[in-house]
Amino acid sequence: MPYIVTEPCIGVKDKSCMTVCPVDCIYEGDDQVYIHPDECIDCGLCEAECPAEAIKPDTEGGLDKWLEINAKYAAAWPNITEKRDAPSDAKEFDGVEGKFEKYFSAEPGSGD
Ligand code: SF4
Ligand code: SF4
């Protein structure tokens, strides 16, 4: 039962979660982060850390799409373990609906 990152992270990406992950299984895309489902040890520490409530256990219903997205991009993009500043316009994206359709990016972030 890995945890995965879902739509509320898009554009917010404040990078709190990776500071608590004991196995460094979080990876950085252009506009959000991803958890590697095969590396996550299901400790749940990151879920409580996320201000956007973007991190969910994959056992929650309706998250198959996000499990695939996390697996795909966590395997492709760079690892991130250190907190850096959130995007300057992060507040404008917090809580906005429909971000996947409007803003999802298949580009990498810079990682550590
Ligand atoms: S649940 Fe634990 S192991 Fe999995 S990503 Fe979050 S902090 Fe890391
Ligand atoms: S704490 Fe939440 S909003 Fe911040 S980077 Fe992690 S998943 Fe995204």
Side-chain angles (χ1 to χ4, degrees), residues 57-64:
D58 80 329
T59 47
E60 256 193 45
L63 294 178
D64 288 354

Side-chain angles (χ1 to χ4, degrees), residues 1-4 42 47 55-64 67:
M1 187 196 78
Y3 284 74
I4 52 177
D42 314 335
E47 183 184 26
I55 300 176
K56 311 280 186 195
D58 80 329
T59 47
E60 256 193 45
L63 294 178
D64 288 354
L67 180 59

Side-chain angles (χ1 to χ4, degrees), residues 5 8-9 12-18 33 46 49-52 54-55:
V5 180
C9 181
V12 177
K13 203 171 84 161
D14 80 315
K15 310 185 185 78
S16 299
C17 48
M18 68 285 300
V33 300
C46 59
E49 206 65 27
C50 179
I55 300 176

Side-chain angles (χ1 to χ4, degrees), residues 1-108:
M1 187 196 78
Y3 284 74
I4 52 177
V5 180
T6 63
E7 180 171 294
C9 181
I10 294 176
V12 177
K13 203 171 84 161
D14 80 315
K15 310 185 185 78
S16 299
C17 48
M18 68 285 300
T19 63
V20 298
C21 181
V23 293
D24 294 341
C25 67
I26 298 177
Y27 296 80
E28 186 180 11
D30 177 34
D31 62 355
Q32 72 167 101
V33 300
Y34 305 98
I35 292 172
H36 197 310
D38 295 337
E39 297 175 1
C40 173
I41 59 169
D42 314 335
C43 69
L45 289 173
C46 59
E47 183 184 26
E49 206 65 27
C50 179
E53 298 183 11
I55 300 176
K56 311 280 186 195
D58 80 329
T59 47
E60 256 193 45
L63 294 178
D64 288 354
K65 174 181 88 173
W66 283 102
L67 180 59
E68 282 179 27
I69 289 172
N70 277 253
K72 176 177 179 178
Y73 292 105
W77 298 154
N79 192 223
I80 179 165
T81 62
E82 293 177 9
K83 183 174 171 64
R84 295 193 308 276
D85 291 341
S88 56
D89 57 355
K91 283 198 171 68
E92 294 170 29
F93 286 89
D94 195 16
V96 172
E97 300 285 330
K99 289 193 289 186
F100 180 75
E101 289 75 14
K102 288 184 192 163
Y103 304 117
F104 178 77
S105 168
E107 298 299 316

